[in-house]
Amino acid sequence: MASDFHEVRFPLDISLGSRGGPVRRTDIVTLASGREHRNSRWAGSRRRFDAGLGVRTLDALHAVIAFFEERRGRLYGFRFRDRTDWRSGPPSKEPTPLDQRIGTGNGAERNFQLAKSYGSSFAPYSRPIVKPVGGTVRVAVNGIEQPVGSGFNCDPATGIVAFTAAPPAGAVVTAGFAFDVPVRFDTDELDIDLSTFDAGGIPQIPLIEIVP
């Protein structure tokens, strides 16, 4: 992702007015008896957004055009703030180092991937977090918060937490963080009708998550 990804965030004031969310692909076969067989085609979900709803002024539209041109349409990925899901816990709460379990120490492994779990009782879904926001990552080992720098570092471009010393065997590794979604434009064309825009029309700006 590194060579075709720009570590820059889509304009925040525009993304806050967007719409969208997770998408899954499920095959459903209905038998003659009326029973169903269901099979998931994707192991994980993929998010889609329409950022056009956030464009309220011509200046905002100009900013989107500049951003689109610099990304060369669909060519380069970028960061996007999903206002419904951008923290390790609920959006209204500051991250804590105990929010998400990201692994268990074995005495040798020093690198752990940030992840966020959805659900609890039946079939929790673990989502890799590959674009944390720099300076927001907090990590604990067996409930004890580790110091940034001397205890661990986190690469904001990958979401990999690297400890200076491997957590002991059986130690629970947890983390809290804010994060962006890696996306790209899902079009090579911005079809903007200025007459409808001036009258209140909203151009479509489709975005799709880049699966790590």
Side-chain angles (χ1 to χ4, degrees):
M1 184 186 295
S3 62
D4 59 0
F5 192 91
H6 293 169
E7 292 291 342
V8 61
R9 184 184 292 129
F10 187 82
L12 187 59
D13 57 336
I14 299 174
S15 66
L16 293 179
S18 65
R19 68 179 181 184
V23 178
R24 288 187 172 270
R25 287 288 181 266
T26 306
D27 290 329
I28 301 177
V29 177
T30 303
L31 306 179
S33 64
R35 294 183 176 179
E36 293 181 344
H37 284 312
R38 296 181 295 275
N39 181 62
S40 178
R41 295 172 58 185
W42 294 353
S45 59
R46 191 177 193 186
R47 281 151 179 78
R48 286 185 177 273
F49 304 96
D50 182 357
L53 292 174
V55 178
R56 305 297 183 190
T57 66
L58 286 175
D59 285 348
L61 181 56
H62 181 268
V64 169
I65 293 173
F67 194 90
F68 177 86
E69 292 284 31
E70 190 172 10
R71 306 289 89 71
R72 308 298 195 270
R74 294 185 295 177
L75 186 60
Y76 293 100
F78 51 93
R79 290 171 173 261
F80 182 80
R81 170 67 56 81
D82 178 0
R83 65 190 180 97
T84 66
D85 190 6
W86 61 283
R87 282 175 166 169
S88 48
S92 62
K93 294 185 177 180
E94 290 289 333
T96 78
L98 305 179
D99 285 348
Q100 299 290 329
R101 182 168 180 164
I102 63 171
T104 303
N106 62 9
E109 183 60 53
R110 296 193 300 121
N111 296 333
F112 294 81
Q113 175 69 57
L114 288 180
K116 182 173 181 178
S117 182
Y118 297 80
S120 57
S121 301
F122 296 95
Y125 167 58
S126 181
R127 174 189 180 190
I129 301 299
V130 297
K131 296 298 176 184
V133 177
T136 70
V137 179
R138 302 175 64 184
V139 173
V141 176
N142 277 342
I144 301 175
E145 185 166 8
Q146 304 298 299
V148 179
S150 59
F152 78 96
N153 284 291
C154 181
D155 185 348
T158 64
I160 298 293
V161 173
F163 287 95
T164 54
V172 176
V173 181
T174 57
F177 43 83
F179 64 96
D180 294 317
V181 183
V183 303
R184 62 168 172 79
F185 286 103
D186 198 22
T187 181
D188 277 324
E189 176 184 6
L190 289 183
D191 186 13
I192 300 167
D193 185 342
L194 284 179
S195 63
T196 58
F197 180 81
D198 287 341
I202 300 174
Q204 292 184 340
I205 307 173
L207 310 174
I208 188 167
E209 182 177 7
I210 300 171
V211 178

